[in-house]
Amino acid sequence: MAPSGLKAVVGEKILNGVIKSVKKDGEWKVLIVDHVSMRILSSCCKMSDILAEGVTIVEDINKRREPISSLEAIYLISPVEKSVCALIDDFKHAAFTYKAAHIFFTDTCPDGLFAEIGRSRVAKVTKTLKEINVAFLPYESQVFSLDDPTSLYSFYSSKPNEGKDKMMENLAEQIATLCDTLKEFPAIRYRKGPEENARLAEEVYQRLTAHKADNPSMGEGPDKDRSQLLIVDRGYDPISPILHELTLQAMAYDLLDIQQDIYSYQTTGIGNAKDREVLLDEDDELWVQLRHMHIADVTKKVTELLRSFCESKRMCTDNANLKDLSQMLKKMPQYQKELSMYSTHLHLAEACMKKFKASLDKLCEVEQDLAMGENAEGEPLRDAMKSIVPVLLNNEIGAYDKIRIILLYIFHKKKGIGEENLAKLIQHANIQADSNIINNLQNLGCNIIAGGRNAGNMLPERKARTESTYQLSRWTPIIKDVMENAIEDKLDRKQWPFISDPAPIKTNQTAVSSARFGHWHKNKSPTEYRTGPRLIIFVIGGVSHSEMRSAYEVTRATDGKWEVLIGSSHILTPTSFLNDLKSLDQVPNPDS
């Protein structure tokens, strides 16, 4: 499946702006990357696309490499000391490692490092030196990550953090390169309250203005003056990242051991079980179709799709299941790729259902009632304590699942609970070893202890929703309300102030500017420009899978008039979120 959205824009920027820009017919080049640029590259470009553009080998700048003095090298690296020193070392000795250097930095290179390059021998053989402004990972077509899993600690640690200002500046620059890459110059808003929201918004504004000075066409085009960037903190919705979600992607990442988006499982064949590893990404069309579906619909949908695939290939199948599939694979080896794709997703869905049936169905009901403040019939929850005690006393339920329930109970109470009550809950649940997770949520501004330091911080009022849902999936992430209100221009301007006054929504000037830029999209590929406005949301401290799903749902509901992008420093699963919270009152390990 061809990359779309954010991945396509970044992929094109790297292929056209870096690799093709220095390509010469009949000449091969070496591509040198560091850890950061390799992550960006592999998220949006295929190795075959890079090799097709005259690159003979891709190498890691920090590893020992054989000199190839007959070829020129393209350095796509981040502007950090380690990478710049390795670049300088390549040309330190009389025999240069490569014939010449084309240097592309992922974002702005600090003056000190720039001067070092100027003083070194690299300067003599540098043919290109550019900053490409891509300091983020396109994680999905509408999701970005700044690839920093330590971010929650950096913002909310109980320990003093000397590096916080520098970290904020870097973060702001990364967000600015996202807007630059998308050719957007959005109005910036932030959730009023937490000081870091306003500070980050201000930093982003300054950097965006600097990017606009270098690149005046940012934000031009019809309707682009309506684009907005919203900055929101994780404490605004602490519920979404801890609920058990039952849509495929969120559920799989919560319950199964998926590392670096790779799902590992054993295939079941008669007497020949094999280990398989599958990358869950947007190259897999079936994954894109299924990832936001409720688990109850997934198996049905895969079976349906498999059946119509078999019929189209004249293969007979009565009940499409995993056993049938392994038989079909033997008979029809030419369809190996398609059939194993169906088999993977049947496996994935079955593995999720197995975990769910083992312990989760009752748990999910309690969670949803607490989050919604009412039961499936819409009756207000009278005695929340009665529903959580059996969960806390159940020895088969793990510590983190109990903590999730206790937190939902506290949020349900709205004003927090007394310290004695909390101590009793911790004791009943027998989770003393992890109880600091609950208290550390106060660092995010959440009201945990009644009358404590966050007294008066209330979770936002919710939008009434009438669409029918599964009983165990009634909760809607709070950020979805925000997305819809922002698009309809109904977001409260006091609670979501603008950093600078936004352009009026409709003025004569819009007509003038679109006439002036009437030809602005000539010679541009369709992926690079979206003509409608975009809503970009940045969540400080991690974004959950259900919030990612909301971006796609809201985009679809506008019939593509708007595109909603959401991102954060990193993608959260409930376990990783609780682990992050657990670390907030600890001194970080320098090696981790």
Side-chain angles (χ1 to χ4, degrees):
M1 187 170 174
S4 61
L6 199 51
K7 287 194 163 202
V9 174
V10 176
E12 209 162 279
K13 192 168 181 177
I14 289 173
L15 279 175
N16 291 340
V18 177
I19 295 166
K20 286 184 187 175
S21 70
V22 296
K23 182 182 175 187
K24 270 200 187 137
D25 282 345
E27 262 190 34
W28 289 93
K29 298 222 171 24
V30 181
L31 176 61
I32 310 290
V33 292
D34 61 10
H35 176 70
V36 171
S37 61
M38 188 61 195
R39 299 262 300 162
I40 296 169
L41 198 62
S42 46
S43 69
C44 61
C45 292
K46 283 201 168 65
M47 195 54 99
S48 53
D49 297 337
I50 296 167
L51 299 179
E53 297 302 337
V55 168
T56 168
I57 185 171
V58 179
E59 300 225 72
D60 181 338
I61 196 162
N62 295 310
K63 294 211 170 99
R64 217 188 131 268
R65 289 162 279 127
E66 287 300 318
I68 312 178
S69 55
S70 57
L71 297 185
E72 295 181 354
I74 303 170
Y75 287 85
L76 175 59
I77 53 177
S78 50
V80 295
E81 191 153 356
K82 189 177 178 190
S83 299
V84 171
C85 289
L87 158 72
I88 290 170
D89 281 353
D90 281 351
F91 297 90
K92 200 162 69 181
H93 303 291
F96 290 167
T97 312
Y98 307 107
K99 189 169 152 190
H102 300 272
I103 304 164
F104 294 89
F105 286 119
T106 50
D107 59 314
T108 315
C109 182
D111 294 345
L113 291 178
F114 200 78
E116 272 183 53
I117 294 173
R119 286 194 296 271
S120 73
R121 297 173 69 171
V122 183
K124 296 185 176 58
V125 289
T126 298
K127 291 191 168 180
T128 317
L129 183 55
K130 279 187 182 161
E131 293 162 347
I132 63 165
N133 293 324
V134 179
F136 60 91
L137 283 187
Y139 183 72
E140 284 182 4
S141 59
Q142 288 174 233
V143 179
F144 61 94
S145 156
L146 305 185
D147 209 17
D148 177 14
T150 62
S151 185
L152 197 84
Y153 186 89
S154 312
F155 271 98
Y156 301 113
S157 159
S158 316
K159 307 279 179 252
N161 179 359
E162 292 81 38
K164 192 166 178 178
D165 290 351
K166 186 86 198 87
M167 179 271 304
M168 278 232 192
E169 288 164 22
N170 290 345
L171 208 61
E173 180 57 38
Q174 287 180 281
I175 296 169
T177 70
L178 169 79
C179 297
D180 183 313
T181 298
L182 292 168
K183 307 258 188 295
E184 294 284 0
F185 188 65
I188 300 173
R189 303 176 77 167
Y190 59 93
R191 177 174 95 95
K192 199 171 171 60
E195 165 218 4
E196 55 274 2
N197 294 2
R199 270 191 59 199
L200 183 59
E202 189 57 59
E203 290 281 357
V204 174
Y205 177 68
Q206 288 171 14
R207 279 163 177 69
L208 263 186
T209 312
H211 277 265
K212 172 86 170 164
D214 291 342
N215 183 358
S217 68
M218 259 173 78
E220 286 172 353
D223 261 353
K224 284 291 185 196
D225 53 1
R226 295 170 64 196
S227 291
Q228 291 188 12
L229 166 67
L230 301 186
I231 289 177
V232 60
D233 53 293
R234 184 62 276 162
Y236 180 61
D237 177 4
I239 294 177
S240 295
I242 58 175
L243 276 177
H244 278 97
E245 262 279 319
L246 301 183
T247 48
L248 181 64
Q249 181 183 35
M251 193 175 184
Y253 278 74
D254 181 8
L255 303 180
L256 309 177
D257 185 28
I258 293 175
Q259 300 291 342
Q260 258 107 34
D261 303 320
I262 291 170
Y263 170 52
S264 312
Y265 66 100
Q266 273 203 334
T267 58
T268 42
I270 303 162
N272 57 351
K274 280 201 200 81
D275 288 330
R276 283 206 63 197
E277 288 194 340
V278 182
L279 181 63
L280 299 174
D281 75 355
E282 292 180 326
D283 286 340
D284 178 341
E285 294 179 39
L286 197 52
W287 172 244
V288 173
Q289 233 178 319
L290 301 171
R291 63 185 171 188
H292 298 143
M293 285 173 76
H294 193 280
I295 193 72
D297 301 325
V298 171
T299 318
K300 265 196 308 227
K301 183 74 178 168
V302 181
T303 314
E304 240 167 65
L305 291 167
L306 176 57
R307 197 163 283 141
S308 53
F309 174 76
C310 292
E311 281 163 8
S312 71
K313 302 288 182 256
R314 305 267 190 286
M315 294 153 70
C316 64
T317 169
D318 302 328
N319 51 344
N321 60 27
L322 289 174
K323 270 209 187 82
D324 275 9
L325 265 174
S326 53
Q327 293 306 317
M328 280 186 232
L329 273 169
K330 288 190 180 114
K331 288 184 206 152
M332 302 272 185
Q334 68 272 41
Y335 299 127
Q336 171 110 26
K337 185 171 171 250
E338 292 88 340
L339 290 173
S340 56
M341 190 167 71
Y342 290 113
S343 144
T344 295
H345 291 290
L346 277 172
H347 257 281
L348 189 64
E350 282 189 10
C352 288
M353 277 313 285
K354 209 165 156 185
K355 292 257 187 189
F356 174 76
K357 285 180 176 148
S359 61
L360 287 184
D361 39 359
K362 190 74 198 100
L363 202 58
C364 287
E365 188 184 336
V366 178
E367 286 183 358
Q368 290 292 319
D369 290 355
L370 289 170
M372 300 302 290
E374 57 185 42
N375 64 17
E377 284 69 52
E379 297 158 357
L381 203 54
R382 295 259 181 270
D383 186 0
M385 183 62 85
K386 199 164 119 197
S387 40
I388 73 166
V389 168
V391 174
L392 302 187
L393 296 177
N394 184 338
N395 293 332
E396 287 175 11
I397 292 176
Y400 271 25
D401 282 343
K402 289 181 179 181
I403 289 173
R404 287 158 78 167
I405 287 282
I406 292 175
L407 288 173
L408 290 167
Y409 171 73
I410 295 173
F411 298 138
H412 166 68
K413 287 295 191 198
K414 296 202 169 29
K415 292 184 176 171
I417 63 173
E419 287 194 58
E420 278 178 28
N421 283 353
L422 179 56
K424 274 188 200 137
L425 291 177
I426 288 169
Q427 197 180 346
H428 282 317
N430 196 14
I431 51 155
Q432 290 83 343
D434 297 309
S435 61
N436 67 332
I437 291 175
I438 298 169
N439 283 310
N440 286 351
L441 249 174
Q442 294 180 97
N443 292 14
L444 278 64
C446 299
N447 198 351
I448 301 292
I449 305 293
R453 57 178 155 144
N454 298 321
N457 286 5
M458 304 291 274
L459 291 177
E461 287 298 311
R462 295 309 310 270
K463 203 169 168 174
R465 293 187 180 271
T466 49
E467 63 260 41
S468 63
T469 55
Y470 282 95
Q471 286 192 358
L472 298 183
S473 299
R474 286 171 280 144
W475 171 261
T476 304
I478 299 177
I479 204 81
K480 191 172 181 182
D481 297 357
V482 175
M483 291 169 179
E484 291 170 344
N485 289 337
I487 283 172
E488 292 161 17
D489 202 24
K490 289 183 186 162
L491 257 195
D492 185 321
R493 292 186 176 218
K494 285 199 181 71
Q495 284 173 342
W496 295 88
F498 286 89
I499 280 288
S500 63
D501 283 336
I505 294 285
K506 277 280 167 270
T507 59
N508 299 339
Q509 196 227 329
T510 339
V512 177
S513 66
S514 49
R516 197 166 90 225
F517 304 110
H519 305 292
W520 63 285
H521 55 280
K522 286 247 167 97
N523 311 328
K524 297 287 176 198
S525 67
T527 51
E528 198 168 338
Y529 282 109
R530 250 192 61 78
T531 48
R534 282 191 178 98
L535 175 65
I536 303 167
I537 294 185
F538 181 77
V539 186
I540 293 176
V543 64
S544 70
H545 288 96
S546 55
E547 292 166 324
M548 286 157 51
R549 187 185 76 242
S550 300
Y552 294 89
E553 289 169 350
V554 174
T555 302
R556 246 196 330 275
T558 67
D559 291 330
K561 290 191 185 69
W562 280 77
E563 182 178 54
V564 183
L565 298 173
I566 190 165
S568 183
S569 46
H570 59 309
I571 314 295
L572 293 174
T573 64
T575 304
S576 73
F577 181 49
L578 296 185
N579 285 340
D580 286 352
L581 289 170
K582 191 172 169 57
S583 74
L584 291 186
D585 56 1
Q586 292 161 7
V587 178
N589 174 357
D591 305 328
S592 64

